[in-house]
Amino acid sequence: MANISCTDIVKSYGAHPVIEGMNLDIPDHEFVVFLGPSGCGKSTMLRMIAGLEEVTGGRIVIGGTDVTTLPPGERGVAMVFQSYALYPHMSVADNITFGLRRQGIARAEIAPRLAHVAQMLGLEPYLDRKPKNLSGGQQQRVAMARAMIKTPKVFLFDEPLSNLDAKLREKLRTEIRKMHLQLKTTTIFVTHDQLEAMTIADRIVLMRDGRIEQMGSPDEIFERPATRFVADFIGTPAMNFLHATMQDGHVARAGNIALRLSPTDFPRLRPGQNVELGLRPARMKLCPEGTPGALTGTVVLVENMGAEGQVITDVDGHEMSFTTPAFRGLAIGDRVSFAIDPGHVHAFDPQSGHSLREE
Amino acid sequence: MGKLISAIGVRVLLAVLIVVALGPILWTVLGAFKELRDIVTPVPKLVFEPTLDNFATILRNPTIRDGLLHSAIVVSVSVLIGALLGIPAAHVLARHARRYGDDVQFFVLSLRFMPPVAIAIPFIVIYLDLGIYDTLFGLILVYLITTISTVIWLAVPAFERVPQNIEEAAAMEGCGPAEIFWRFSLPVAAPSLFGALVFTFVLVWNELLLALTLAAQNATLPVVAASITSLGKEVPWGVINAATVVLVLPPLVFIGLLMGLLNTMVRSGPK
Ligand SMILES: Nc1ncnc2c1ncn2[C@@H]1O[C@H](COP(=O)(O)OP(=O)(O)O)[C@@H](O)[C@H]1O
Ligand SMILES: [Mg+2]
C-alpha cells in the first residue's frame, strides 16, 4: 500500500508535448480516476507511473521511493490493460501465477493464493483453459487476477472495461469497486466514460490536452465544475449553455429569458457583464406557467429514458433540455414551463471558460 | 437434395485436385521402390514387388552420399546461423527501430532481386583469391546472405503481430528485455517464425546455381541429382526417383523436428 506523488511531469514525443507539467498527489488507499476525452494523455500519464514510458521531465514517487527511473517490475505496481494482454501460450492458471513463479516463490505458497483470487473472481472452472477459449469478461477477470495475486502497492487500470458490452461493464465496475473496498489498494483507473468515473471514483482527475482541468470528488466535479469544459463533459444529458448579460438585481438576461443568480455564489458579478450560464437538465423541474424565474418554450422532442424522460424545448430560439418523470404527458408542440433552483445555476466567463462562482 | 449433390460435387472436385497435385510425387515415391523393368513398362504398374535396390545404389554411391552429407551440413549450419542472427534482429527492428524497419526490409528484399548469376561470378573470383573456393565454409557463407535476409524479412511481420501489451505486461512482472523476448515474443510469434524457417530451409536446400558455380568436389545434393539426369540414354529412373525422395525427405524431417521443438518451447514458462 502506498501513496503516489507526481511532480512537474512533462512528456513529449519529439517536439510534440503530450503532458505539460502535471502535479498530482494520491493518498494511500484512494481510488482515483483519470477522466478525459480521447487523446488527452490519460494513458500516457498512467504508463509513465507504470514505468512503460519514460518521463521527459519530473519525478514520480511511490510509497516514499523515487521510482522515476526504475524499470516497471521494480515499482511494485500491477497493471490491467484494455486489451487484457493475457499470455496466449499459457493456461489461465499459468497466466495468473507467472509473476510469482518467476520470483521463485514455492508452489506450496502459490497454490492457496491462486485458489483465493480465482475464488474471488469466479475463475475456478477456467483455470486449465487457454485465454482464447474465454469470453471477454472472463479474460478481463483473469487479467485482474494476475494483477491481484501479486498484492502490489498500486493497481493501474487503463480503460479495462471499454471492450466489454454495457451490461458486463456495469457488473465488472461494481466488482472492481467492491474489490477496492476489501483490499484498499491505492488504485488509478483510466476511462473516457464520465458515468463510469462518477460511479467508481473516490476522486476524479479530469484531464484536457495534457493538463489537469479539475481534481475533486465526483460530487465536487458534478456540482462545482471549475470550467465550462468540465461542466460540459460531466453529466448525461449534457448541460444547457446560454450566453447572457447581467442586469440589476443579479439577474442574467438572454432575450426573454431572465434568471436570478445567487448573490452569495456569485458576489462579484456586475451589471453589463457577459456570462455563459450552465443549467443541468436534471436540476430543472416542470412548473406552472408564470412561476417567477421559469423558462417557457415549446417541446421539440421527448426522449424516453425509462423512469425519466429528456424533454428538448425551444425557448425563445435557444434549445434547452430538462428531464422529468412526467414526460409522458408532453407532446411535440406543447407549451411547457420549467424552473431551476438558483443554487444550481452555473455561470462561466465566456472568454476563459472559468467558473465565476466564489467558494 | 440439391445441397447434398453440391456437397458431394465439392468433395469430388477436391479429391481430383489432390490427386492432380500429389500424383507426381506419389508416382515418384512408388518409382523409387520399383525395378527398372517395372518402371518402363508401357502399361503403368500399380502392383509390383517393392525393392530397396535403388536406395542401396544411392547410398552406396559415394558422390550421392557425400552430396547428401554436404547438403545437410551446409543447409543446417546456414539456416541455424541465419535464425540465430536473423530472429533477434527482426525483433529489434519490429519493436525498437520501426522507423528504420521498412528501409531495412526493403534492402533485404532487394538482395533477392539480384539474379544469382550476378552474385555467383564475383564470388568465384573472390573465393579463388581467398582460397575458400570449393569449400563447405564458402558455400555456407553465401547461403548466409539468403538465410539471414529471408529470416529477417519474414520474421519482422511475425513479431509485429505480437501485441505490444503482452510484452508490456511481462515487463510489469519484472521480466527484462531478454526474458521478454525468450519467454513471450518468441513463443507467441513461433507459428509464423516456424513458417519462415521452413521457407528459408527449403530455399537453400533446393539451391542449385550457386552450389554449381562455387563448389566442384564438395557438391551438394541438388548438384549431384542434376548430374544424374545427364547420364545419357540409359536413364536409371529408379535411382533418380530414389534420389528425389532422399532430396525431399530432409525438409520433412526438419519440419517435424522444428514442430517438436516449438511445442516444448511454447509451454508455460517457469515451473
Ligand atoms: N508513441 C507515441 N508517439 C507519438 N505520439 C503519441 C504516442 N503515444 C501517444 N501519443 C500521443 O499522445 C497523446 C495522448 O495519448 P494517450 O495518452 O494515449 O491519450 P488517451 O489515453 O487519453 O486517449 C495523443 O495525442 C497521442 O497521439
Ligand atoms: Mg488511452
Side-chain angles (χ1 to χ4, degrees):
Chain A
M1 309 251 167
N3 59 328
I4 304 169
S5 143
C6 302
T7 320
D8 296 327
I9 301 297
V10 176
K11 175 72 183 179
S12 31
Y13 291 106
H16 172 61
V18 175
I19 302 286
E20 309 179 36
M22 280 258 282
N23 284 290
L24 185 64
D25 276 300
I26 301 173
D28 202 2
H29 305 316
E30 196 170 54
F31 197 115
V32 169
V33 171
F34 288 178
L35 174 65
S38 199
C40 71
K42 307 178 296 288
S43 299
T44 307
M45 194 60 207
L46 193 75
R47 291 165 57 82
M48 286 192 291
I49 295 171
L52 296 172
E53 298 280 354
E54 287 176 6
V55 300
T56 310
R59 249 162 53 91
I60 301 172
V61 176
I62 298 178
T65 315
D66 187 333
V67 299
T68 315
T69 53
L70 287 186
E74 293 170 25
R75 297 185 176 206
V77 301
M79 183 153 166
V80 176
F81 296 85
Q82 178 176 352
S83 61
Y84 321 135
L86 300 180
Y87 312 133
H89 53 305
M90 297 184 190
S91 70
V92 167
D94 285 336
N95 258 280
I96 298 173
T97 58
F98 176 86
L100 298 184
R101 284 181 292 140
R102 193 185 164 279
Q103 289 167 21
I105 292 173
R107 292 223 140 220
E109 191 190 327
I110 293 177
R113 284 168 77 172
L114 173 63
H116 178 67
V117 292
Q119 185 264 328
M120 218 167 147
L121 288 159
L123 288 170
E124 287 121 325
Y126 314 114
L127 289 177
D128 292 328
R129 292 207 199 161
K130 284 280 169 66
K132 67 166 187 287
N133 298 326
L134 298 179
S135 71
Q138 290 162 345
Q139 290 190 35
Q140 197 53 291
R141 283 202 175 89
V142 176
M144 280 159 60
R146 186 173 67 183
M148 268 169 63
I149 200 167
K150 288 186 290 186
T151 53
K153 291 191 276 188
V154 175
F155 281 131
L156 305 175
F157 292 87
D158 192 355
E159 310 224 11
L161 310 179
S162 298
N163 285 1
L164 305 174
D165 61 70
K167 204 155 175 58
L168 201 53
R169 199 152 61 209
E170 212 169 295
K171 189 159 181 289
L172 266 174
R173 190 172 75 198
T174 314
E175 281 180 33
I176 291 176
R177 185 66 199 164
K178 275 192 196 152
M179 217 163 75
H180 180 255
L181 290 177
Q182 200 177 337
L183 301 175
K184 301 208 162 42
T185 311
T186 314
T187 303
I188 305 179
F189 185 104
V190 165
T191 181
H192 63 264
D193 180 341
Q194 50 100 12
L195 189 63
E196 199 166 284
M198 294 291 287
T199 48
I200 208 169
D202 289 328
R203 201 151 60 108
I204 293 177
V205 175
L206 208 150
M207 293 175 59
R208 176 194 192 183
D209 296 339
R211 292 173 199 276
I212 297 178
E213 188 83 358
Q214 187 175 1
M215 211 174 344
S217 71
D219 278 344
E220 280 167 14
I221 298 258
F222 187 78
E223 300 289 2
R224 299 274 181 272
T227 65
R228 184 194 188 281
F229 177 83
V230 175
D232 193 22
F233 194 79
I234 298 281
T236 352
M239 195 182 263
N240 299 293
F241 290 99
L242 188 62
H243 281 280
T245 308
M246 293 309 296
Q247 294 185 331
D248 288 336
H250 245 72
V251 169
R253 178 171 290 279
N256 290 335
I257 303 173
L259 282 170
R260 214 182 106 74
L261 303 189
S262 150
T264 43
D265 284 346
F266 305 100
R268 277 198 273 180
L269 291 181
R270 297 286 163 259
Q273 186 176 348
N274 288 328
V275 295
E276 188 167 15
L277 300 178
L279 312 171
R280 281 216 188 280
R283 293 294 184 203
M284 300 206 264
K285 287 191 185 67
L286 269 178
C287 64
E289 200 171 335
T291 312
L295 308 173
T296 303
T298 49
V299 176
V300 175
L301 198 64
V302 179
E303 285 176 356
N304 188 339
M305 301 189 298
E308 290 210 311
Q310 182 185 197
V311 183
I312 300 168
T313 62
D314 179 347
V315 181
D316 194 21
H318 303 281
E319 190 167 278
M320 304 282 277
S321 73
F322 66 101
T323 57
T324 171
F327 68 97
R328 290 193 172 84
L330 296 172
I332 293 174
D334 286 359
R335 260 178 88 74
V336 65
S337 285
F338 49 96
I340 187 165
D341 173 358
H344 288 305
V345 178
H346 303 277
F348 305 98
D349 184 305
Q351 267 81 48
S352 69
H354 287 301
S355 175
L356 296 167
R357 185 189 298 269
E358 304 278 325
E359 291 307 329
Chain B
M1 194 62 199
K3 247 192 185 160
L4 188 67
I5 290 175
S6 78
I8 292 175
V10 167
R11 266 154 207 254
V12 168
L13 187 69
L14 276 178
V16 170
L17 284 178
I18 288 171
V19 168
V20 169
L22 292 184
I25 298 173
L26 219 60
W27 199 243
T28 307
V29 173
L30 280 182
F33 294 96
K34 284 178 182 174
E35 287 175 40
L36 189 58
R37 61 187 152 76
D38 287 331
I39 297 175
V40 293
T41 48
V43 183
K45 269 192 177 175
L46 271 178
V47 185
F48 57 92
E49 264 190 42
T51 168
L52 287 175
D53 283 356
N54 297 324
F55 289 98
T57 312
I58 288 181
L59 295 181
R60 237 178 271 128
N61 178 332
T63 330
I64 297 180
R65 215 170 44 207
D66 288 353
L68 185 62
L69 186 68
H70 294 155
S71 269
I73 294 173
V74 168
V75 172
S76 52
V77 171
S78 56
V79 170
L80 189 73
I81 297 179
L84 287 181
L85 297 181
I87 290 179
H91 185 253
V92 171
L93 280 176
R95 276 292 174 257
H96 306 291
R98 198 59 285 241
R99 66 207 124 121
Y100 310 120
D102 287 337
D103 295 342
V104 172
Q105 269 202 290
F106 182 76
F107 169 73
V108 161
L109 182 64
S110 72
L111 288 178
R112 308 221 43 84
F113 293 166
M114 216 172 339
V117 191
I119 305 180
I121 292 166
F123 262 109
I124 295 177
V125 181
I126 298 170
Y127 274 22
L128 282 172
D129 270 1
L130 292 178
I132 54 172
Y133 179 78
D134 194 17
T135 60
L136 294 186
F137 173 73
L139 267 186
I140 290 172
L141 215 56
V142 260
Y143 282 175
L144 277 180
I145 301 176
T146 305
T147 56
I148 295 177
S149 63
T150 313
V151 168
I152 291 181
W153 184 52
L154 292 172
V156 166
F159 283 121
E160 277 174 348
R161 278 195 297 273
V162 177
Q164 192 149 0
N165 280 344
I166 289 179
E167 295 182 359
E168 288 171 350
M172 298 292 305
E173 313 238 33
C175 298
E179 202 177 352
I180 291 174
F181 171 75
W182 189 244
R183 280 203 179 141
F184 296 92
S185 321
L186 203 56
V188 175
S192 317
L193 294 179
F194 169 70
L197 288 190
V198 169
F199 182 77
T200 310
F201 181 96
V202 170
L203 215 57
V204 282
W205 180 263
N206 294 338
E207 205 288 326
L208 177 62
L209 192 96
L210 287 172
L212 204 57
T213 45
L214 293 181
Q217 300 301 311
N218 288 310
T220 56
L221 199 55
V223 178
V224 176
S227 67
I228 301 178
T229 52
S230 50
L231 283 182
K233 285 239 174 82
E234 272 298 299
V235 185
W237 286 114
V239 176
I240 291 181
N241 283 341
T244 313
V245 170
V246 170
L247 198 62
V248 168
L249 221 47
L252 294 179
V253 173
F254 175 76
I255 292 172
L257 284 181
L258 209 57
M259 279 226 213
L261 177 76
L262 286 178
N263 275 338
T264 49
M265 206 172 75
V266 163
R267 300 249 165 81
S268 57
K271 286 290 152 230

